Structures are given as structure tokens and as C-alpha cells.
Amino acid sequence: EAIPWDLVADQIKATHPYKVFALRGMIAVPYFEKALYEMAEEDITAESIKALANKVEMDVQGGLSARPLLSVPHILSDEASCYYHGYVLAEMGVHQTREFFMGRDGFISDNPKVGPTITEAYWAPGNSEPFLGLVENLTGAPLSGKPWVSELEQSVEDVLKEEKENYDATRAKCVDESSSEDIDLDMRIRIVDGDDVLADTAEDGSFLATCKVFEEYVQNRYAKEE
């Protein structure tokens, strides 16, 4: 069964307005590291470092953070220093890649073009290509924070409207497709609990039949008593 739209809408309303805080929390770390390593040697004291951390939190996050900067392991461990910005760059790359696929194909989930495109542009070159080059080769544009920021700038109403359209279109597509057709994964699937085999495609005949057997097992085992 499809997830009710009301649950999807409630999740958007509860999370979208606050996504920007996650971004601010991420970029605060490299901003602090940059300022810390630019401090003059004679100015470095325990008190000055704490004061700097508080200032960055106030400037970037708008207040003292629930996760203080000086509790971030990357700052406290020398072998992990000066690369937290990599998380920010990776997240930028994710949003830019998603924007590319949405612009080219209009959808991502169950899109057979996504895997081959990512394999060719990202996985095949591996470390032979710098990160910035990988993103630009796939998306056709230099790495940018614009796709990420554009998503954060959307109002809750606009996100709800866009997601509702996608939700309705996907549900209509699923209804049109025959639910009687089985799914061939070209593999054997066994669902086990310790030594007990709960369901097995080789025994139950098909993937969907195996899912049904497992569903009945869960319902019988964890059914609430009236």
C-alpha cells in the first residue's frame, strides 16, 4: 500500500523549514578551522580558541550550537583535521547531481538511466579524476552550491505542491501497471531468523509469494492481542 499523502505532507512540514540549520551546522566546522589555523601563534590560548568557536557559532549558526564546535572529532584529532569541508562539497555534489537527473529525465526513483550514467561518470574514473572534475563531467557545470540553496529557499507551500504532483503521478503509474506480474530479480532470496528459514523464493515459487509468506509470519508473530 502507498504511504498516505497526509504522512508525507506532515513530514515535509516538520522538516523542510529546518533543513538550513543542517547546512549551517556543516559549514560552521570548516569556517572555524580556517579561522583557527589563521590565528597568530602568540594569540592561541584555551580561552581564545573557545571564544573563537563561540563567535563562529553565533555568526554562522545564529546562536550557540547544540553540538559545540569543540566537540567535533575532526577538530580534536590531528589526522582528521582540515577535511570536514569535504562533507559540504559532497553534499553539494549530491544536490547538483539530483538536479541534473531531474532536468534530464524528470525523475530519479526506478530510473534505469541513473545507474549507467553514474557508473560511467563517477565510478569508472575513480581516483583518476579529481572530485570537481567528476561532478562537472556528469552535470556539465562546475560544482556549485546553487542547487542546494535553491532547494532550501523553497517555501513549504511550494514543496508540498511539487511533491503532491509527483506523488499523484507515481500513484497513477503504479495503478496502471499490472500488480499481478511477478518481479524477477534473477536471484534466490532466503529470509532467515537464526536457524529458521521464514521464506524462500526457491520453495515459495516467486518473489512476491515469498514476500507474502514473510508478511504473514510477521503478522502472526507480532499481532496485537485484542
Side-chain angles (χ1 to χ4, degrees):
E1 296 181 5
I3 298 175
W5 166 249
D6 288 344
L7 290 181
V8 178
D10 286 346
Q11 191 268 344
I12 293 172
K13 294 174 184 176
T15 60
H16 182 73
Y18 309 104
K19 285 185 175 181
V20 67
F21 291 112
L23 167 58
R24 288 175 176 269
M26 291 180 70
I27 64 176
V29 178
Y31 269 109
F32 170 73
E33 285 193 305
K34 181 177 185 295
L36 175 63
Y37 299 131
E38 289 177 347
M39 287 179 67
E41 190 74 25
E42 60 271 16
D43 295 334
I44 297 178
T45 64
E47 290 304 317
S48 67
I49 292 175
K50 287 191 289 185
L52 177 62
N54 289 343
K55 182 180 185 303
V56 171
E57 289 179 10
M58 295 294 293
D59 292 346
V60 177
Q61 297 181 258
L64 296 179
S65 176
R67 181 206 62 177
L69 282 170
L70 291 177
S71 71
V72 177
H74 297 71
I75 296 173
L76 304 178
S77 179
D78 59 349
E79 72 270 12
S81 62
C82 291
Y83 79 75
Y84 196 92
H85 59 281
Y87 299 126
V88 182
L89 296 174
E91 191 72 19
M92 290 167 59
V94 168
H95 286 275
Q96 186 164 324
T97 301
R98 285 179 56 85
E99 182 185 64
F100 166 79
F101 283 124
M102 292 301 294
R104 188 191 72 176
D105 304 327
F107 70 108
I108 296 176
S109 297
D110 297 327
N111 183 348
K113 297 180 181 179
V114 170
T117 300
I118 289 180
T119 298
E120 180 180 353
Y122 285 170
W123 308 140
N127 290 333
S128 68
E129 182 75 33
F131 170 70
L132 298 181
L134 291 172
V135 176
E136 185 169 2
N137 289 342
L138 189 148
T139 65
L143 181 68
S144 168
K146 186 177 179 180
W148 193 2
V149 173
S150 296
E151 178 182 320
L152 296 174
E153 287 179 335
Q154 283 186 291
S155 67
V156 173
E157 291 72 23
D158 287 342
V159 175
L160 287 170
K161 180 177 181 294
E162 181 179 308
E163 291 298 323
K164 186 63 164 64
E165 292 174 352
N166 292 334
Y167 178 90
D168 290 339
T170 302
R171 289 212 62 181
K173 179 182 177 182
C174 291
V175 170
D176 290 340
E177 295 176 350
S178 174
S179 59
S180 62
E181 294 183 3
D182 197 55
I183 300 172
D184 182 11
L185 299 178
D186 192 24
M187 62 188 298
R188 179 182 180 182
I189 297 176
R190 298 169 73 244
I191 303 175
V192 301
D193 181 10
D195 294 330
D196 298 328
V197 178
L198 308 181
D200 184 345
T201 52
E203 300 293 334
D204 302 319
S206 68
F207 174 73
L208 292 182
T210 303
C211 292
K212 184 64 176 177
V213 171
F214 180 60
E215 178 184 352
E216 292 174 352
Y217 166 82
V218 173
Q219 290 177 342
N220 293 333
R221 179 168 179 175
Y222 299 102
K224 294 182 179 179
E225 295 183 2
E226 296 296 337

